[in-house]
Amino acid sequence: MIRQAERTDKDQIFELYKMLVPNSKKMNVIEEQIDKIRRDPNNFLFVNDEEGEILGTLTLNICLQALHGIRPYGVVENIIVHENHRGKNVGRELLQFVEDYCKSIDCHRIMLLSNSTRERAHQFFEREGYDGSISKGFKKYL
């Protein structure tokens, strides 16, 4: 079942994030931030929950813009599926949920970023209809 994360999911989300960025020294998942995201109408931390076990997660941010009238766009970040559950449609279910939601609010597009070395993830995203050749992403860490 796809649902919004709750503060009690903190430890399981942290474990998933460790799989995404295993060498991160800055990672800090806190309950208050999960609550803050839950209350924000344009930001979502979704989890794929199977009987209390979180199999995957992603963040969706809805961004307002002026280019396409009143149509917003979605940005997907920090998508990760537990390594023991990859290849079982967990990520597909998360992305389909996000796509359905974005269509329901008339989003213009959905964008996502992925680490340039995550080739298997890139293949997965392309199978799900995301085109990695359209844009080039840039990041500047602060």
Side-chain angles (χ1 to χ4, degrees):
M1 159 182 74
I2 309 296
R3 61 172 175 79
Q4 286 196 63
E6 300 170 358
R7 64 182 13 243
T8 56
D9 299 325
K10 177 188 78 132
D11 293 336
Q12 290 188 73
I13 291 170
F14 182 83
E15 291 303 316
L16 286 169
Y17 285 164
K18 282 191 348 188
M19 292 176 198
L20 182 64
V21 284
N23 299 317
S24 174
K25 306 268 189 271
K26 299 177 183 179
M27 191 176 0
N28 185 19
V29 179
I30 56 175
E31 294 164 339
E32 291 78 12
Q33 186 70 355
I34 293 171
D35 287 340
K36 187 175 182 179
I37 294 168
R38 260 185 91 85
R39 290 189 306 269
D40 189 313
N42 290 314
N43 292 285
F44 304 90
L45 177 58
F46 290 121
V47 295
N48 190 323
D49 179 339
E50 185 175 288
E51 298 178 12
E53 181 181 3
I54 298 186
L55 309 180
T57 186
L58 62 71
T59 301
L60 171 66
N61 306 110
I62 302 300
C63 304
L64 304 179
Q65 63 175 344
L67 180 63
H68 295 283
I70 61 170
R71 296 181 73 192
Y73 62 94
V75 177
V76 173
E77 275 282 344
N78 303 325
I79 180 169
I80 183 70
V81 172
H82 192 288
E83 55 198 19
N84 294 338
H85 296 281
R86 293 180 185 158
K88 299 178 182 177
N89 293 323
V90 173
R92 172 175 284 151
E93 290 171 2
L94 281 162
L95 285 178
Q96 187 60 56
F97 187 89
V98 162
E99 185 173 330
D100 291 345
Y101 177 74
C102 287
K103 284 179 180 177
S104 78
I105 61 168
D106 199 29
C107 281
H108 169 68
R109 68 179 178 269
I110 303 170
M111 301 186 304
L112 63 82
L113 292 174
S114 179
N115 184 297
S116 62
T117 63
R118 297 184 66 220
E119 295 292 330
R120 286 185 60 209
H122 303 166
Q123 292 168 2
F124 165 71
F125 297 139
E126 288 173 351
R127 283 193 308 270
E128 295 305 309
Y130 292 82
D131 188 341
S133 67
I134 293 175
S135 299
K136 182 173 183 174
F138 296 86
K139 292 182 179 181
K140 182 177 184 177
Y141 290 99
L142 306 175

